[in-house]
Amino acid sequence: MSALCARSVEELAPALAAGALRPHELARALIDRIEATDAGVRAWVHLDRALALDAAARLDATPVGSRGPAFGLPLGVKDIVDTEAWPTELGSPIGAGRRPSRDAACVERWRAAGGLVLGKTATTEFAYMHPAATANPWNPRHTPGGSSSGSAAAVALGQVPAALGTQTNGSIVRPAAYCGVVGFKPSLRLIPFDGVHVFSTTLDTLGTFTRSVADAAIVMHALVPAIPREVPVARPPRLAFIDRFPWTAPVDDGGALDHAASHLRRAGAEVVAVSMPDALADGRDVHRTIMLAEGARALGALQARERSRMSATLNAGLDEGRSISADGHHRAMAARQAMIATAAHWLADYDALMAPSAPSPAPEGLATTGDPACCTFASLLGFPAITIPVGRGANGLPVGMQLVARSGDDADLLGVAAWCESRLPRWRGLV
């Protein structure tokens, strides 16, 4: 592997800004890495070497004093996010050849900050549950998770230092955990969703994949300048710790999360075992009602025209969503608002909730993307969540630790995550 492919955003950004490293040189090394490693993983669906290198070469000419906060940094973009230069095919034959007329707002922000788009990463069909062709880079017989399958796998393989994904239920946190990288789902609508395929207007959220918390902060700062480029790592945090959610089975992670809690306690964190309030116990059902009712609304007309080209999984979800009445959706939305208030009050005395990122390491098989249930809490409420790798399960695959904070506390959550990351055993984050 080229040394450039192993370098973090935190290392690359100052070298690019100062002119010690040229964007063209970095892009060439990454594309070489993709061409050498992607055949068995299939993280990318659109990669044009000439197009990417030409864009990087144009950046080379930018004067040092005019370089933005993401100058020259290559980014993988999930293939439900519109890009003018590449097709955006939505993980479906229905989208084959689709060419947007402009970039999504998040891509425009990245380019305005001086960043480079390297290409498009694989997504599940319309960012729902039918898998992409992507395999887990740690073991290709196992799922990488979804729906942001390619973004997680590409970052884990050192093919790109950062990537964009989206989450409606577990589509950032779960694949990041399965692939052993950092996945950050910010507060709802913190990154504008304009130009991104919509499944649920209430739940869809853009986020990032990187190999460290510091890298996540740099990428987020380029997309949302209100997020500090360098996250404050202050006092030891007070964490509410749950080992499972009311709607999940007991977690099978080989003890990785308990070991992480022990490490953090020894480092000075207050890790308090808690139980989730009964008022939040129906969170999974409320989330499913909202997600599927809104998915049927967003994709109903398309399904009517193209049902035969949609997977059985997507058709079943949309059919279920169509059976939910307007009143049923309204009740679920009211329940969600009550749960937001309950959860905000419950977590008020803590810096973050510490919880599993997934019920287990990535399961074997590529027919599903695994269980997203550990991500439902933050997705339903619109709270920011981050997963950091903390060890390996019995099958040798990565295990993540999820941290969740109250809505709007994104910068503080990044700070808590950075504190935890720096005190846990060092994770070798590249396959």
Side-chain angles (χ1 to χ4, degrees):
M1 182 193 300
S2 163
L4 286 176
C5 299
R7 293 173 73 179
S8 66
V9 172
E10 191 177 23
E11 295 168 322
L12 293 169
L16 289 162
L21 173 64
R22 294 185 301 116
H24 187 273
E25 178 186 1
L26 176 58
R28 186 174 64 246
L30 292 173
I31 293 172
D32 287 347
R33 172 72 174 166
I34 294 168
E35 292 176 347
T37 61
D38 203 50
V41 175
R42 301 176 295 279
W44 299 83
V45 291
H46 300 296
L47 186 73
D48 185 321
R49 183 184 184 97
L51 181 65
L53 291 180
D54 181 62
R58 289 197 301 272
L59 286 173
D60 286 350
T62 306
V64 171
S66 302
R67 296 180 173 184
F71 176 76
L73 288 171
L75 186 74
V77 177
K78 183 177 180 178
D79 199 35
I80 66 164
V81 179
D82 281 353
T83 46
E84 183 180 6
W86 291 268
T88 301
E89 296 184 330
L90 311 171
S92 169
I94 297 169
R98 180 176 175 270
R99 299 299 298 246
S101 60
R102 60 177 295 177
D103 290 334
C106 58
V107 175
E108 290 179 345
R109 287 190 178 192
W110 185 252
R111 292 190 193 280
L116 173 72
V117 173
L118 200 64
K120 304 301 288 292
T121 54
T123 176
T124 63
E125 177 194 30
F126 292 101
Y128 189 55
M129 296 169 60
H130 184 67
T134 310
N136 192 301
W138 294 89
N139 185 330
R141 295 192 305 274
H142 290 245
T143 179
S147 60
S148 307
S149 314
S151 290
V155 172
L157 268 171
Q159 296 177 340
V160 70
L164 286 180
T166 63
Q167 181 159 312
T168 305
N169 191 2
S171 296
I172 293 172
V173 168
R174 173 183 39 157
Y178 283 174
C179 293
V181 298
V182 172
F184 180 53
K185 182 202 81 71
S187 294
L188 185 67
R189 300 187 186 91
L190 187 64
I191 304 174
F193 215 77
D194 302 331
V196 183
H197 161 72
V198 173
F199 194 92
S200 167
T201 54
T202 298
L203 305 171
D204 290 350
T205 307
L206 274 156
T208 65
F209 294 86
T210 57
R211 290 193 292 272
S212 74
V213 178
D215 286 3
I218 293 169
V219 174
M220 282 299 300
H221 175 73
L223 296 168
V224 184
I227 298 293
R229 184 177 173 86
E230 297 183 6
V231 295
V233 181
R235 59 176 174 76
R238 186 168 193 255
L239 303 174
F241 176 39
I242 58 171
D243 60 7
R244 60 179 291 189
F245 291 89
W247 48 82
T248 64
V251 170
D252 178 15
D253 65 0
L257 200 62
D258 285 335
H259 291 154
S262 297
H263 273 286
L264 296 176
R265 288 187 179 107
R266 288 196 295 272
E270 186 179 359
V271 183
V272 182
V274 299
S275 298
M276 185 167 283
D278 291 343
L280 301 174
D282 292 334
R284 179 175 59 179
D285 294 338
V286 171
H287 177 278
R288 184 174 181 84
T289 297
I290 294 170
M291 177 179 68
L292 293 183
E294 294 183 355
R297 184 185 306 160
L299 291 173
L302 183 65
Q303 185 192 32
R305 297 194 306 270
E306 300 281 5
R307 186 181 187 95
S308 64
R309 292 205 289 168
M310 289 182 171
S311 69
T313 301
L314 180 57
N315 275 319
L318 298 181
D319 290 347
E320 181 179 340
R322 199 167 54 253
S323 73
I324 297 168
S325 67
D327 185 59
H329 178 258
H330 177 77
R331 289 196 304 272
M333 291 291 286
R336 174 180 177 269
Q337 287 302 122
M339 289 179 177
I340 290 172
T342 297
H345 177 75
W346 174 49
L347 295 178
D349 293 331
Y350 301 96
D351 294 296
L353 173 69
M354 175 181 170
S357 301
S360 71
E364 188 169 3
L366 302 180
T368 73
T369 56
D371 185 351
C374 289
C375 309
T376 299
F377 173 78
S379 294
L380 172 65
L381 306 181
F383 286 7
I386 191 167
T387 181
I388 57 177
V390 294
R392 297 175 188 266
N395 63 2
L397 297 184
V399 170
M401 177 182 81
Q402 183 178 194
L403 298 168
V404 182
R406 297 185 299 172
S407 183
D409 289 346
D410 298 74
D412 291 341
L413 178 62
L414 287 166
V416 170
W419 189 96
C420 293
E421 181 185 57
S422 69
R423 286 154 177 85
L424 290 167
R426 183 172 175 81
W427 171 257
R428 294 185 62 187
L430 284 171
V431 179

